[in-house]
Amino acid sequence: MSFTDKETMVLPIPVATAFEPWTGRDDGSGVEHLRWHHVVEPYAAQSKLASCVFIGFASDEGVHRNKGRRGAAAGPRALRQALASMALATPIRAFDAGTVPVDDDLDAGQRELGSMVRATLDAGHFPVVLGGGHEVALGTYLGLADSALLTVHPRIGILNLDAHFDLRSDEIPSSGTPFRQIFDAASAAGTSVEYAVVGISQPSNTAALFDTADRLGVRYLFDDECGTGNLTAVQDFVQDFLGRVDLVYLTIDLDVLPAAVAPGVSAPAAFGVPLETIQLVADLLTASGKLAVCDVAELNPEFDIDNRTARTAARLIHRIVTRHVRLQQLP
């Protein structure tokens, strides 16, 4: 089922920072030389459907509050730069709606992001949010939960690729609290949400967090259950999750990957989940036709090595969007 094969509504979008033109390698004119920077246009409530709309969320306030190392606010720019020169096999249409800047008023930034996600969803687009710390998750969810999609597809599922539950209960919201806040928001609205996590690191989550996850009905796979020899079990886990939901929000915390693959994150993984497994999960969600929104979190360019983390994240974004486009084009 497609979530963009409807007549597009032209809606205004909240003001973020100004669009910055994408630049990158240029081998010549013509579709045979097409790269991302050739196709990304500024978003201005366009009436034509896009393959995706990029929205930046320049925040590391939540990471700072969670006692992590700052730098994730530079993530959106680094992700755009890493994606810009990647080659496209076929022409697509993509927009960039700018970046939500976040200072110490994290709540305001999350609410603005939610407004932007809702506006792009209600206009029939596929939002791809570029974080930013994992506090981005609350803003992305608020946009999806407030969108018109829920009138037809009420069961929201969140699939988190992450070493951490991020279910901490704290008076001060941070990058460690967004999914607890999501459960609270859903409960306050009289709704529910299905939350599942692939890649949980036992040493990185306290017994209290496991108790919270169990109490809230969170399903999860440990990182050492997600190796390339366990792909059938991972696939079964994802298919079971998909059977429980109508809409999927995919959130990728890059610290789910091994530190050798993703050194540029706020909390590098001592073990991690292989990139092949992460790609399989993304492929399954995309192929389901239920994927409504995606975000990428925790890229910290200050600690990246040879842009390794940014390139890996950009490769995942590239694959998700191009496969999403291919699905929308099927009869």
Side-chain angles (χ1 to χ4, degrees), residues 15-90:
V15 176
T17 58
F19 168 79
E20 295 183 17
W22 290 37
T23 60
R25 176 167 176 154
D26 197 334
D27 298 323
S29 60
V31 294
E32 67 272 19
H33 299 298
L34 206 59
R35 299 178 186 272
W36 273 99
H37 70 89
H38 291 125
V39 303
V40 176
E41 308 170 46
Y43 184 84
Q46 301 286 343
S47 59
K48 294 182 179 178
L49 286 177
S51 305
C52 68
V53 175
F54 294 107
I55 305 170
F57 185 72
S59 172
D60 53 23
E61 175 62 23
V63 175
H64 174 64
R65 295 179 185 182
N66 201 27
K67 300 179 175 60
R69 51 188 189 177
R70 303 200 81 142
R77 180 185 292 271
L79 286 169
R80 287 177 170 106
Q81 290 174 340
L83 189 59
S85 289
M86 288 190 172
L88 290 164
T90 57

Side-chain angles (χ1 to χ4, degrees), residues 224-244:
D224 56 8
E225 297 176 321
C226 297
T228 53
N230 302 96
L231 293 181
T232 298
V234 173
Q235 181 168 337
D236 290 345
F237 179 88
V238 174
Q239 295 293 5
D240 178 72
F241 165 80
L242 286 168
R244 300 170 182 272

Side-chain angles (χ1 to χ4, degrees), residues 165-204:
F165 284 117
D166 291 340
L167 283 170
R168 188 174 299 113
S169 178
D170 200 322
E171 292 182 2
I172 302 176
S174 71
S175 62
T177 65
F179 299 103
R180 180 62 175 270
Q181 293 174 269
I182 286 171
F183 274 106
D184 290 346
S187 177
T191 60
S192 62
V193 62
E194 186 82 17
Y195 178 46
V197 192
V198 172
I200 287 294
S201 167
Q202 183 278 313
S204 300

